[in-house]
Amino acid sequence: MPEKPWHSLPAEAVAEVQQTDLAGGLSPDEAARRLDEFGPNRLTLVKTQGPLLRFLLQFNQPLVLILLAATAVTAAVGEWIDAGVIFAVVLANAVIGFAQESKALQAIDALARAMTSTATVIRAGERKRIAAEGLVPGDVVVLQSGDKIPADLRLFGCRELRVDESALTGESLPVSKGDGPVEESTMLADRRGMAYSSTLVIHGAAKGLVVAVGDESEIGRINRMIAAAEVIDTPLTRKIKQFSSVLLYAILALAALTFAAGYLHGQRWVDLFLASVALAVSAIPEGLPAALTITLAIGVGRMARRNAIIRKLPAVETLGGTTVICSDKTGTLTQNEMTVTRLYAGGARYGLSGVGYAPEGRISPENGGPSAESNRALAELLTAGVLCNDARLEKTDGGLRVEGDPTEAALIASAGKLGLRKEEAERRFPRLDVIPFESARQYMATLHDQGAGRPKVLYVKGSIESICLECALGYGREGAPEVQDSLEVHRVVEEMASDGLRVLAFARKEMPAETTRIGPEDLAEGLEFIGLQGMIDPPRPEALAAIRDCQKAGILVKMITGDHAGTAAAIGRRLGLCSDACAMHTEEVLTGRELASLSDVEIIEAAEHTAVFARVTPEQKLRLVEALQRRHHVVAMTGDGVNDAPALKKADIGIAMGVNGTEVSKEAADMILTDDNFATIEAAVEEGRGVFDNLTKFITWTLPTNGGEGLALMAAIFFGLDLPVLPLHILWINMTTAVLLGLMLAFEPKEPGIMDRPPRKPKEPILTGPLAFRIILVSVLLMVGGFGLFKLEMSGGGNILLARTRAVNLFIFGEMFYLFNCRSLVRPLRELGFFSNRWFWGGILLMTLLQAAYTYLPVFNRVFGSHPMKVGDWAQVLGFSLLISLAVAAEKAVRFRFVRRKRLSLDGGR
């Protein structure tokens, strides 16, 4: 490596450092020696987890480990049926999880596939086509339009070279390249004399000196960042781990306490051990892992219908807890279709309606100016735009496809809004010659034939600096030359630029009829200024509405883009990223250069309070995600390029673009948008909140079953009585109710106002204080009912089989009646709609029929030791079950009124 970076050195100096010849390249022997020294031009692949390991990792969850321990204990004491049922639950959960995650992360493999397969090099003065893996530092590579660049190159001999670097830098438009060096501190996206591996040549030709290959290239550096990016647990995963740890310790403590209490009562230790096993089984929510997986899978299906494909199940819930969305600009927040929105011609200003490349929309005068049809200067401006133009718009089944520069495609569309068609204009005024665009000149010019006996016409388009300085006259509204007002033109340019528009100036010159060729000297004088066209990649209307909804829901939305700061800031203002709805954003825009100067502490503040980040590098995107996470945010990050992959992997939820995204970004992401639309992210957040609500409802519903069973067993042991339910009964209760009752909560529709509330706090537990109180209340009521009905039957010397059947039915129907309360954790049932969840009623019916079979069919009586019940028994079971539901309804009503009164008092105080 030289003392200075490659981009800051002339090509000749780079060749000297590399000890190569710019004209003849390396000799074959030297190339072979360097191949041995530097290795092949490919990325080092990191070994990934195999299918067997990924399947085994499905068991590496605290809750699942508890179930496996219960399986082992029940098998050790000879309860083979119980052990088999528990293990079947664990196995089913693992199979579901493995099936959903079978497409594991392969971002680095995708990067390797992105490397080109062949390249044209000059060795020993001869051109030859070789495998790209054979390139070495010092090779001279020949580039032409359509080539994918095979390694990092220091360019020389550029001829109108334009490169699409969007996948690497995020720059939405092709970048013009040149031979000259730039400052050492120049950011990656502005290094005009460099071309980087995996980017694409759009136009022109050049040669390049290989300066980095394989892992040492820019794409190799991103490869290392992807490999090093730590994949953090999702909020749900962390909360389930915490919940499982608490549950494990509680189970062990209760089992030990029960064993000790029974031993003090003089009971046999063998009986106590079996009772402790029963207590442990009762306390474990066997259906919870499967319910979590299935509920998340249902969420996956709902999101797929809204154009969001989930690659990893926990990502469903993570979306619901998102506090910050960091979004790319091009194609996600914007249309990804350059659109002319402002015109200036003949001293008049015009606005254009319509978005995209279709010639649909109107041209309307501003400030009472002349109509578009009456202004000949406007027609000439639009004609110049379609003639001084190399782009084409091709109709496809998916719409219009651009062939060429998107900026030129926008000029074709703007002309179409006045009825001018490119094909017709080219037939009337055929092109005779062209001066192609070059970054040094900043303009393009074409010569056209206007017909026999008429002078030729030269049209030129380019930057305002390159054209207006040469124009003393302007093309007037009536088509006659007039003195142009340069101050007025520059005022219009400044207005357009302040709105984030890219401004192109147009001029014309009539040439002698015999002219067939033009050169730069023909533009030195005599040009007539025609006008200006201002264009932008406009925001998606649905993105604007989605951002408002996110801000209303307490979610910060930030734009991170490779585009220039002015354009990014203008789009940010149009989208309302710095509006009053987002008081957190006190800074409008920061550039990558400014971010590079910030310390780790300073970047945390900048990430929190800045709305738009422009011209950022892959490392800076990663730093921004990490900075927000250090503020305890749940970060969703969107991206479509290779440069986005490290940040996508690091974010709590990585979101890739399905239409225009690279394979690298898709492999690194947790979710893929099939329509590349920000509004889909907002819809997915809404679905994620609904999924988390339903998960919370299930947990709030299922835990009282375990609590009630455990308390009933403890009461029996403390009083030295027979157990009211046996381990097999507990498994029957837990599994049947979880599948037929609890899972029906996964189909609950989203509650009204779900996007009107702020995100839940990342560190907030799954079960808040009020929900924990409700679980304890219902657990105690189930214990009183189950143990009470068992004791009532046994007190008169009753049948123990009937007593246990009464207890089992009390637990099941108590949970069934409590299920009505859990359809919403705060709202009364009448606000939800009695029949808004048809699955709910199907589950109620099936559970009732199954419990009738459990009670009356002889086969169930033999297997489970159940006993038929009489009408009086059912009256006691259903009556106490109704009492449980009424008690919870009363608790919800009191708490709802208290919360509403508190909210009204706070509003009144403000």
Side-chain angles (χ1 to χ4, degrees), residues 51-52 114 290 317 330 453 455 488 555 632 690 731 755 824 844:
L52 178 60
E317 180 276 335
T330 305
E488 169 69 9
I555 301 171
H632 306 297
L731 287 173
M755 289 297 285
S824 172
I844 293 284

Side-chain angles (χ1 to χ4, degrees), residues 429-434 446-450 456-457 512-518:
F429 308 109
R431 181 186 293 188
L432 302 176
D433 197 17
V434 61
T446 54
L447 179 68
H448 298 270
D449 188 350
Q450 297 189 92
K456 304 297 192 296
V457 62
E514 65 273 12
T515 306
T516 59
R517 307 285 292 178
I518 55 174

